[in-house]
Amino acid sequence: MAYLVIQEDNKWSDVFRLIVGRRVTVGRSPTNSIVVRSEQVSRYHAEIFHTEGNWVVRDLDSRNGTSVSGVRLVSDHTLENGESVMIGKSVLTFYEQLPAHLGMDEAPTLSGLPPQATSPGLELDDSEPSAEEFLDGQESEPPQIVHRKHETELLHRDHPADAGSSIGRAAWQLCRLAFSLAGQTSFANAARLALDGLFENTRVSAGAIWLVRSGAKGQVPELDLVASRSNQPHVYRRISNYLARTVTETGEAILAQDIADDSNIGLRDSKGEILAQSVICAPLRVTAQGGPGPVMVRGLIHLYTTEADTGLTAEDLDFTLAVADNLSLAYKSLSRQQKMSEVISVTRREVTQLRERLGTESEIVGSGPAMQLVHQQVAQVAPTNATVLVRGESGVGKELVARAIHFASHRSKGPFICMNCAALSESLLESELFGHEKGAFTGATEKKMGKFETADTGTLMLDEIGEMSAAVQAKFLRVLEGHPFERVGGSKPIKVNVRVIAATNRDLEQAVQQGTFRKDLYFRLRVVEIDVPALRKRREDVPEIAEYFLAKFCTELGKRHKRFSHAASERLRHYRWPGNVRELKNVVERAVVLSNHDTIDAEELALSNLRSASETNLEIESDGQFEPVTLDEMERRHILNVLNNTQWNKSKTATILGVERSTLDRKIKRYDLERFRVG
């Protein structure tokens, strides 16, 4: 057998047992073995079956696909223990055995308690007991057990509770103690509080509360001391093996009184001197599900008195059992809280690991002044719902900035959808954004949700927004203004709650002047603008980013950690990076793949001679190295570049340079400039 632990909206919802020979189908249709009610899920989305000793998942040509550990399936996939199958917003985690933190078949156990927790100022004698005191096998009479009880009368609803009687006072004390136990945050505190109540309402000399760690039937159980208390000058003596074994096996509270030579229950020491006149031992009983079922003893209350004239009575036994039952409820409640905390902690770690596998990390590498400004802008805009326009050259990390905004916002639990507007034609772009109805156009064989619907309650990032056609721009603007939209071929209005982050490397202002981009859409998008600088303008970040990618790829490729040589580091720092961070990432990955040494040299860095589209001729480069020139040479090159840009229109060139036409002629003659000559 194996199991699927089903998680929906970051909450555990169900556990499904896989049985060999039974094929499990997952989908939206109610006839599936596992029903996922989501528009993102097909009627028959995927199936899981057992073959050749392995469990295999297969996508049933679903519309939105099935992913395993962040990788979309293209063929059958053999599941490994702990792998997660993602179908829509549901996560089905495969386990060969049900994890301990999810098990419900056994009563919870409380771990992490201190080995001993005694009240302040009290002394605990935890020395090893002698054989005469605690071990079985003595040739003596069995202890005289004078009373046994399985249920306390104090908790019966129909029991009279006369405030003037001893029973009435005990019931009142028990009620007050129950309310106090309910407010405790740790079992150790609850145990000390229960002991205080027992000392207040019974005539005991010493006592303690123990937790049962383990112990098979017929054997002495292993115990952990939680709390102890004694009245001066007495020192608490630990519970005898006989008492611990008897109570854990029977589940009954017992009251034992002293008889001659009774060393089995620890009332006399090895010399025959009386240690206690009477002893009470009551079990802490819990059930697996809090209802009918097997009862397990998870702890013991041990009380005794040493005063000959103040022996413990049946009423003391009744009160102690009532306290034990209340303390058992507190133990069960605190155990559940601890289990929930552990499950939440595990779930958070799994979500973090899942996001890392999906590449949804929101960390931006780079700590220079330029990126510090970007960090500050992200922190300011993330808590709001403002539309953001992220600008920068291709490869600078605009999507990473958008992810950082999403995961730092209150929408972080919602979806983050990214779409490239330049990758689709006008008709397909409209269909991808707004969805389409079945039969809306040729090839529309079923209804499809658009990116706006998929990103509901989350964030939609539109990359290359400047490539959007005029018709789609108009419909897109209405959605940004809060109006409902309709799917292609549909008539039903749809309204969504989506935050839009647009990104572009184009000059939108120039596009607006040329009439290819709507002016009203431009102003609607440009509520908050974040400009991500090119990598060549923040060279101080290059070493940090390079080291980040170096460690990342060494880990992913299973290679020993490498380092850059001094020459390689210098070349990386002085290179102009026309492809920005994307190029740096690829250069480092190639070097890690091909390098056979622990040190990556400069010769192993595959750098290009290309120039960025936005890079001007004034940004001088020479194979990645700075070229020092005189001011005259700088002026000559600049005048020549402006002349070539204006097709040698001297009047226009003089206006741009801010000089007289005659001054320009003198400089052309001085520098011996010629038309179309590149300087």
Side-chain angles (χ1 to χ4, degrees):
M1 289 187 297
Y3 300 85
L4 288 176
V5 178
I6 304 173
Q7 184 182 8
E8 296 180 351
D9 296 327
N10 294 331
K11 297 179 181 177
W12 300 112
S13 63
D14 201 357
V15 178
F16 189 93
R17 185 171 63 180
L18 300 174
I19 301 176
V20 176
R22 295 186 184 179
R23 186 177 296 265
V24 177
T25 59
V26 185
R28 196 174 70 249
S29 174
T31 59
N32 286 283
S33 307
I34 300 176
V35 180
V36 180
R37 303 190 181 279
S38 172
E39 287 295 325
Q40 301 177 28
V41 179
S42 301
R43 289 178 58 80
Y44 297 96
H45 198 101
E47 63 179 359
I48 299 173
F49 55 95
H50 191 269
T51 179
E52 297 181 356
N54 297 311
W55 286 97
V56 177
V57 60
R58 174 185 295 167
D59 183 76
L60 299 177
D61 296 326
S62 61
R63 180 175 69 251
N64 293 319
T66 303
S67 299
V68 175
S69 299
V71 179
R72 184 160 178 165
L73 292 183
V74 294
S75 60
D76 292 356
H77 176 80
T78 300
L79 290 172
E80 300 290 342
N81 186 48
E83 280 193 327
S84 297
V85 180
M86 284 153 284
I87 298 178
K89 294 183 179 180
S90 299
V91 179
L92 287 67
T93 304
F94 172 80
Y95 291 107
E96 295 175 350
Q97 292 183 350
L98 198 62
H101 70 274
L102 296 175
M104 300 298 177
D105 296 331
E106 297 182 359
T109 59
L110 192 64
S111 60
L113 290 175
Q116 69 179 50
T118 57
S119 301
L122 297 182
E123 196 174 348
L124 172 65
D125 180 10
D126 57 1
S127 60
E128 289 294 325
S130 64
E132 292 80 13
E133 290 178 316
F134 299 119
L135 296 180
D136 294 335
Q138 297 294 325
E139 296 181 358
S140 60
E141 298 180 19
Q144 182 182 357
I145 298 175
V146 294
H147 286 285
R148 290 180 181 269
K149 270 186 177 291
H150 193 270
E151 293 184 359
T152 174
E153 298 177 9
L154 295 178
L155 299 182
H156 289 176
R157 295 182 178 178
D158 56 351
H159 195 287
D162 185 1
S165 67
S166 60
I167 294 178
R169 288 192 300 272
W172 178 78
Q173 293 286 352
L174 186 63
C175 182
R176 186 180 65 173
L177 179 62
F179 276 100
S180 300
L181 290 176
Q184 299 306 306
T185 57
S186 71
F187 184 71
N189 291 338
R192 285 191 285 269
L193 187 64
L195 272 181
D196 293 341
L198 289 166
F199 271 70
E200 184 178 349
N201 293 280
T202 61
R203 293 175 292 180
V204 299
S205 301
I209 295 177
W210 301 79
L211 280 179
V212 177
R213 188 191 316 151
S214 62
K217 188 176 180 66
Q219 296 181 356
V220 177
E222 297 181 14
L223 303 176
D224 290 324
L225 181 66
V226 180
S228 67
R229 176 175 171 176
S230 63
N231 293 328
Q232 299 294 345
H234 306 290
V235 176
Y236 170 71
R237 309 282 296 191
R238 62 170 294 155
I239 189 172
S240 70
N241 293 336
Y242 175 83
L243 276 183
R245 185 175 62 191
T246 301
V247 175
T248 53
E249 289 183 357
T250 64
E252 295 179 327
I254 61 175
L255 167 62
Q257 294 180 345
D258 179 49
I259 61 173
D261 298 328
D262 183 10
S263 61
N264 281 335
I265 57 175
L267 299 183
R268 291 176 180 269
D269 61 14
S270 59
K271 299 178 181 179
E273 297 180 356
I274 295 178
L275 296 175
Q277 293 289 341
S278 54
V279 177
I280 286 178
C281 188
L284 304 183
R285 302 170 295 196
V286 297
T287 56
Q289 301 296 337
V295 177
M296 287 162 285
V297 176
R298 292 299 187 188
L300 300 170
I301 295 180
H302 178 226
L303 305 173
Y304 62 85
T305 178
T306 59
E307 304 298 330
D309 57 344
T310 58
L312 298 174
T313 65
E315 288 76 15
D316 294 328
L317 176 66
D318 202 29
F319 184 79
T320 303
L321 183 56
V323 172
D325 287 344
N326 276 275
L327 189 58
S328 299
L329 293 175
Y331 171 80
K332 185 73 174 289
S333 176
L334 291 169
S335 297
R336 285 176 175 172
Q337 291 180 18
Q338 182 170 340
K339 286 288 184 183
M340 292 176 62
S341 299
E342 292 173 356
V343 171
I344 290 173
S345 178
V346 171
T347 303
R348 286 175 176 170
R349 289 197 300 269
E350 290 178 348
V351 169
T352 301
Q353 293 170 0
L354 180 62
R355 284 181 173 172
E356 290 176 353
R357 288 198 298 268
L358 292 174
T360 58
E361 308 96 314
S362 58
E363 181 183 2
I364 302 173
V365 181
S367 54
M371 291 310 298
Q372 287 295 334
L373 178 60
V374 173
H375 282 291
Q376 180 181 351
Q377 292 173 324
V378 168
Q380 290 176 333
V381 74
T384 71
N385 285 318
T387 304
V388 181
L389 179 61
V390 184
R391 308 183 75 159
E393 295 179 9
S394 178
V396 295
K398 297 187 289 296
E399 182 177 343
L400 198 62
V401 172
R403 289 186 186 277
I405 294 173
H406 171 74
F407 287 112
S409 71
H410 63 277
R411 298 175 178 268
S412 58
K413 294 183 179 179
F416 177 83
I417 306 297
C418 183
M419 179 179 173
N420 192 324
C421 298
L424 300 171
S425 63
E426 178 180 334
S427 58
L428 288 178
L429 178 60
E430 184 178 6
S431 174
E432 285 293 321
L433 281 176
F434 308 110
H436 63 254
E437 298 290 345
K438 182 178 180 180
F441 50 83
T442 302
T445 57
E446 59 182 7
K447 180 178 70 174
K448 178 180 180 180
M449 295 174 57
K451 299 300 184 186
F452 269 104
E453 288 182 80
T454 307
D456 192 22
T457 71
T459 304
L460 174 61
M461 178 193 174
L462 297 177
D463 199 6
E464 305 297 348
I465 191 71
E467 306 297 330
M468 187 179 290
S469 67
V472 179
Q473 288 179 32
K475 192 171 183 178
F476 176 52
L477 178 60
R478 283 187 55 82
V479 180
L480 283 181
E481 296 290 351
H483 298 287
F485 63 91
E486 299 171 356
R487 298 192 186 104
V488 177
S491 58
K492 179 182 177 181
I494 301 171
K495 190 174 180 62
V496 293
N497 177 20
V498 175
R499 179 183 195 168
V500 173
I501 299 178
T504 183
N505 60 2
R506 290 189 57 186
D507 187 346
L508 291 185
E509 291 79 5
Q510 184 178 0
V512 170
Q513 294 177 357
Q514 296 174 351
T516 58
F517 197 82
R518 294 178 63 102
K519 181 184 294 186
D520 46 3
L521 178 58
Y522 167 76
F523 289 115
R524 183 63 184 83
L525 289 174
R526 196 173 172 267
V527 177
V528 177
E529 183 175 317
I530 298 179
D531 190 3
V532 184
L535 189 56
R536 65 180 176 278
K537 296 182 180 179
R538 51 186 179 102
R539 294 171 183 256
E540 66 277 2
D541 291 333
V542 171
E544 182 179 355
I545 300 174
E547 290 293 340
Y548 169 81
F549 285 132
L550 181 63
K552 178 176 183 292
F553 290 124
C554 286
T555 302
E556 290 182 358
L557 297 172
K559 294 196 173 188
R560 290 186 302 174
H561 182 70
K562 299 177 182 294
R563 64 182 183 87
F564 294 108
S565 67
H566 177 73
S569 298
E570 287 297 307
R571 191 174 184 191
L572 289 173
R573 190 167 63 88
H574 291 293
Y575 181 62
R576 300 194 59 77
W577 300 111
N580 292 295
V581 180
R582 181 184 293 118
E583 183 186 7
L584 175 56
K585 174 184 176 182
N586 295 335
V587 166
V588 175
E589 182 177 12
R590 179 186 182 278
V592 172
V593 170
L594 299 181
S595 177
N596 296 320
H597 310 285
D598 291 339
T599 301
I600 297 177
D601 296 323
E603 294 76 14
E604 297 176 279
L605 301 175
L607 304 180
S608 71
N609 294 320
L610 297 177
R611 174 176 295 180
S612 171
S614 61
E615 189 176 357
T616 66
N617 289 328
L618 289 178
E619 296 182 286
I620 304 168
E621 61 177 319
S622 177
D623 194 26
Q625 303 294 325
F626 173 73
E627 179 187 349
V629 295
T630 63
L631 288 177
D632 285 345
E633 177 62 18
M634 181 70 73
E635 184 180 45
R636 186 192 72 80
R637 293 183 180 185
H638 181 57
I639 294 174
L640 180 58
N641 286 330
V642 176
L643 284 168
N644 289 334
N645 186 262
T646 61
Q647 285 77 43
W648 275 72
N649 186 324
K650 295 183 179 181
S651 298
K652 189 174 182 179
T653 299
T655 302
I656 294 174
L657 294 176
V659 298
E660 296 292 336
R661 169 69 181 270
S662 57
T663 303
L664 176 60
D665 288 334
R666 286 198 302 272
K667 290 185 179 294
I668 291 174
K669 184 176 180 181
R670 174 186 173 186
Y671 295 128
D672 192 22
L673 300 179
E674 298 179 5
R675 188 168 187 173
F676 302 123
R677 174 185 162 191
V678 179

